Amino acid sequence: MSKVGKVYLVGAGPGDPDLLTIRAVQRISIGDVIVYDRLIQQGVLALAKSSSEKIYMGKPPGHHCRQDEIHALLVEKARQGKTVIRLKGGDPFLFGRGGEEAEYLAEHGVPFEVVPGVSACLSAPLSANIAVTHREASSSVAIVTGHSAFGNGDRIDWHALARIDTLVFLMCVHNIETIAKNLTAAGRAPATPAALIQMAYWDGQHVVTGTLENIAARARTQEVEPPATLVVGEVVNLRERLQQLVAESERKSKQEEEVCV
């Protein structure tokens, strides 16, 4: 009987290969099999050895029916004695169903390791120069799934969320209007600033800003598609100032480089 291989549940971050952890790069490089999601850039897959078997198991937005197939595939390949890399966007244990995969592997006697990744809940706002906490505007932040497919709609305490300074909703594009209505019904002001960041750290990155009252309409007008992250709170109003500071810093750095040359 061949030795059972090991499965690595690896967080690939928001997409850009430069934002992978060192451990993630190391694990990807030793994989015999790479099982990857929809939001994995080719630059990340290029880090795998040329002989690795690459299997796409991405799920279209709103569809999660392939999870059983993924579970079975991970166990099958590991039992063939192969080192399996399960590449997941963001962090495996933050709305990535990594916990379910870890449980399944453990139940079937397959050893595994979880490698953290940079989550979109922090990196997407940062890509748009939004700090989710700030001394002047926010001392609390909550991360919420915006996807009804998780079946968590009735478990969300909207009144509690409405009192938190900054709210970050992942997987929320198709439910933005519902999210905004629930928050305002729970007491959050309709004029609360909001921003929607599409394709953070990808070539198609786009940012839509507005308020709870109009962010859904603006998203429709600008045809925002998944993946996108919604940020709600006064920190959104600080974006312009932070953008100016970042631009000024980059300008000075470029001048210094030109002087050195």
Side-chain angles (χ1 to χ4, degrees):
M1 184 176 179
S2 62
K3 181 181 177 181
V4 176
K6 189 171 183 178
V7 175
Y8 294 89
L9 306 176
V10 178
D16 190 329
D18 287 345
L19 297 178
L20 288 168
T21 65
I22 293 174
R23 179 171 292 187
V25 173
Q26 291 172 337
R27 298 302 186 263
I28 293 169
S29 69
I30 64 171
D32 300 313
V33 181
I34 311 293
V35 180
Y36 64 100
D37 278 348
R38 185 174 65 92
L39 299 178
I40 303 298
Q41 290 189 15
Q42 288 301 312
V44 174
L45 294 176
L47 298 171
K49 56 187 181 182
S50 59
S51 61
S52 66
E53 179 184 9
K54 299 177 180 65
I55 304 174
Y56 174 70
M57 292 298 286
K59 293 168 281 190
H63 295 80
H64 297 268
C65 57
R66 301 189 74 184
Q67 194 60 46
D68 290 343
E69 296 177 45
I70 294 171
H71 287 167
L73 179 64
L74 296 178
V75 170
E76 174 191 347
K77 294 297 183 180
R79 285 180 174 170
Q80 293 174 4
K82 297 180 179 180
T83 298
V84 182
I85 309 301
R86 172 69 173 114
L87 267 182
K88 306 172 76 66
D91 183 273
F93 277 12
L94 185 61
F95 302 136
R97 306 193 75 167
E100 296 170 47
E101 293 175 6
E103 290 173 339
Y104 191 88
L105 293 169
E107 290 168 1
H108 289 77
V110 176
F112 65 90
E113 175 186 312
V114 182
V115 179
V118 177
S119 172
C121 69
L122 300 179
S123 60
L126 188 152
S127 74
N129 294 305
I130 297 173
V132 294
T133 63
H134 192 284
R135 186 180 181 88
E136 297 176 11
S138 173
S139 59
S140 60
V141 59
I143 304 160
V144 190
T145 173
H147 208 309
S148 60
F150 280 80
N152 289 335
D154 59 346
R155 293 167 55 187
I156 295 176
D157 187 337
W158 292 98
H159 287 86
L161 282 183
R163 295 192 296 271
I164 294 174
D165 293 333
T166 304
L167 303 175
V168 180
F169 291 88
L170 304 180
M171 304 169 291
C172 62
V173 171
H174 299 301
N175 290 318
I176 294 177
E177 188 169 359
T178 299
I179 290 168
K181 286 181 177 179
N182 287 342
L183 285 173
T184 52
R188 199 68 180 251
T192 302
L196 192 64
I197 304 101
Q198 177 186 24
M199 301 291 288
Y201 291 106
W202 288 64
D203 290 340
Q205 178 168 335
H206 179 56
V207 182
V208 178
T209 58
T211 65
L212 276 180
E213 193 170 34
N214 62 25
I215 192 66
R218 292 188 176 187
R220 285 195 302 271
T221 299
Q222 299 193 39
E223 299 181 340
V224 174
E225 295 289 338
T229 301
L230 175 66
V231 183
V232 177
E234 294 301 323
V235 291
V236 174
N237 278 342
L238 301 176
R239 176 174 180 252
E240 185 174 347
R241 188 174 81 187
L242 289 176
Q243 277 184 308
Q244 293 173 348
L245 293 174
V246 169
E248 179 64 18
S249 177
E250 291 176 349
R251 185 185 65 79
K252 288 181 179 179
S253 295
K254 186 176 181 179
Q255 288 178 338
E256 291 174 358
E257 290 173 1
E258 292 173 349
V259 170
C260 291
V261 171

